[in-house]
Amino acid sequence: MVSHEVMGNTLLLRLRGDLDIRGAQELRLAAENLLRGGTGRSVILDLTGVEFVDSSGLGAILGRYRQVLDSAGRMAVYGASPRVASLLEVAGITGIIPLHESLDRALAYVKER
Amino acid sequence: MDLDRPDNMMRLEFLNLPANVGVARNAVATFAAQAEFTLSDVEEIRLAVSEAVTNAVVHAYPGRRGWVRVNARLSGSLLELTVDDDGQGIADVALARQASYTTDPERMGLGFSFMEAFSDRLEVGPGPAGGTRVFMVKQPAAVPREEGSSSA
């Protein structure tokens, strides 16, 4: 469900499947373990493989944003399907965590600081 | 309910485990796909079921196992859903239904807002045998929503 890659100061989390209560727990655990180890200060979520998101998943995304704020990093999301993107928008998440079209754009965003 | 001739019914019962939330929403979505719902309707049903079942899984039975039941009933193109548990109930339904009300910083408090937004009718309260009952109705977007309309 969650795999990761470290790119300098940035932690890239690639999610697969459904980001519901179960996926949310996996995302939270992965991010907490990896960020505690000082793996990166900014986080990029790759939602390319995510087919479904509900409010538990949105909560987990927002939880990672809070975590990143605590370590003075930035957070970006890319690869959201139109359906997932519109849910993020309805929930007001895109106002604080911008959606990007590609990993390159997301990386450029978290580095611009 | 004035529907005395359901075309199909389904009953699911499962433990309050996070893994079962996906089982329930996918089963109901597959069940609903028999009717004239659009893909987008089915996605809304999937989301509404996910929220209702997640609530039962997270809140009904603090620290213990318990059963969650989903009943789905299709009459013509009308889908009626109930999600029941035998848990502790919701102390203040009006408060719980407020947007952004949550008991957990990892959650957004949008569960009931989503259920309301993605169904055509939502009722939340105690079940007939205690616990909590969530009742939702969904009609295909294309069907006129006047009282007494029939598409069968």
Side-chain angles (χ1 to χ4, degrees), chain B residues 40-102:
Chain B
S40 149
D41 288 330
V42 171
E43 276 316 303
E44 294 188 356
I45 291 165
R46 204 187 291 277
L47 192 54
V49 171
S50 200
E51 300 300 342
V53 173
T54 297
N55 265 359
V57 165
V58 172
H59 299 293
Y61 306 98
R64 65 189 174 96
R65 292 277 166 262
W67 292 102
V68 180
R69 286 178 300 280
V70 175
N71 281 272
R73 176 176 158 124
L74 212 42
S75 306
S77 50
L78 191 78
L79 177 70
E80 291 176 298
L81 289 169
T82 54
V83 177
D84 286 303
D85 64 63
D86 309 314
Q88 62 177 358
I90 300 173
D92 186 338
V93 171
L95 179 66
R97 285 185 65 163
Q98 280 175 17
S100 299
Y101 175 79
T102 180

Side-chain angles (χ1 to χ4, degrees), chain B:
Chain B
M1 279 175 270
D2 56 350
L3 297 152
D4 47 2
R5 291 180 296 113
D7 300 324
N8 199 358
M9 292 197 276
M10 179 180 73
R11 192 176 287 175
L12 290 172
E13 191 166 21
F14 47 88
L15 284 177
N16 60 336
L17 296 170
N20 288 333
V21 176
V23 174
R25 72 169 171 267
N26 291 328
V28 174
T30 307
F31 179 82
Q34 302 169 86
E36 298 159 23
F37 290 109
T38 63
L39 279 180
S40 149
D41 288 330
V42 171
E43 276 316 303
E44 294 188 356
I45 291 165
R46 204 187 291 277
L47 192 54
V49 171
S50 200
E51 300 300 342
V53 173
T54 297
N55 265 359
V57 165
V58 172
H59 299 293
Y61 306 98
R64 65 189 174 96
R65 292 277 166 262
W67 292 102
V68 180
R69 286 178 300 280
V70 175
N71 281 272
R73 176 176 158 124
L74 212 42
S75 306
S77 50
L78 191 78
L79 177 70
E80 291 176 298
L81 289 169
T82 54
V83 177
D84 286 303
D85 64 63
D86 309 314
Q88 62 177 358
I90 300 173
D92 186 338
V93 171
L95 179 66
R97 285 185 65 163
Q98 280 175 17
S100 299
Y101 175 79
T102 180
T103 49
D104 177 349
E106 278 285 324
R107 307 192 57 78
M108 289 193 74
L110 288 178
F112 283 120
S113 302
F114 281 1
M115 285 180 242
E116 207 162 322
F118 297 123
S119 69
D120 295 301
R121 190 170 141 204
L122 170 68
E123 289 168 21
V124 186
T132 297
R133 165 167 286 185
V134 172
F135 174 70
M136 292 185 283
V137 175
K138 183 76 176 172
Q139 281 180 280
V143 171
R145 304 200 172 175
E146 286 87 4
E147 195 64 36
S149 68
S150 164
S151 67

Side-chain angles (χ1 to χ4, degrees), chain A residues 18 20-22 28 52-56 58-60 62-64 66 83 87 91, chain B residues 18-19 21-22 25 43 46-47 50-51 54 58 105-108 110-111 114 118:
Chain A
D18 289 356
D20 64 355
I21 180 173
R22 204 181 184 203
R28 191 187 67 215
F52 174 86
V53 178
D54 66 10
S55 73
S56 301
L58 296 176
L62 207 60
R64 305 296 65 76
R66 293 203 187 98
R83 191 190 300 143
L87 196 69
Chain B
V21 176
R25 72 169 171 267
E43 276 316 303
R46 204 187 291 277
L47 192 54
S50 200
E51 300 300 342
T54 297
V58 172
E106 278 285 324
R107 307 192 57 78
M108 289 193 74
L110 288 178
F114 281 1
F118 297 123

